[in-house]
Amino acid sequence: MSKSEGLYNSGVLPPEMYEQHEPPKKLWESKKNGLVIVECPQRIPCNPCHTGCPTGAIKEFADINDTPQIDYEKCTGCAMCVAKCPGLACFVADLTYGGDEEALLKLPYEMLPLPNEGEEVECLNREGKVVSKGKVLRVVEPWKDKTKVVHVAVPKSLVMEIRAIRVVRSR
């Protein structure tokens, strides 16, 4: 088994699959507030991303085991799906934030301690390795169910790499 197959089978999207999960480039680069990225490549019985989407951007599933299909024109970057996905597989990336160097990622967060607005955090890839630092701009709880969505300024070049953050505080 190749490393990519091993990653995929463990639920980690391998690099050669990133592009097929990216929003349409032209729209993505111009859409204020960002667009959703759903990294749910396996057929499992799940649809909270669809039921939680207020605009219908995540299309209705023909079968509960379908993988999500997105109408990017309808996506507002609200991140309601980010907070609703039990597999933590939805993210919003805003490429219009921060000029040429930075982007804004809206990531699910269910850990303690909660990051503070303005705090520097470690940005992790899909395997949990630190790939950058980021700055927390906002922490919200869209569904009031304890799942937070953390808005983090990150290097634009790492938008398809960063999938989590870690709060590191000295004691």
Side-chain angles (χ1 to χ4, degrees), residues 3-19:
K3 181 177 180 182
S4 288
E5 287 173 319
L7 286 173
Y8 182 79
N9 290 337
S10 72
V12 175
L13 197 68
E16 61 269 17
M17 292 184 76
Y18 293 178
E19 195 172 299

Side-chain angles (χ1 to χ4, degrees), residues 103-119:
L104 176 70
L105 275 180
K106 300 173 189 177
L107 302 167
Y109 193 80
E110 296 180 332
M111 307 289 283
L112 291 175
L114 280 177
N116 297 313
E117 291 182 12
E119 187 171 9

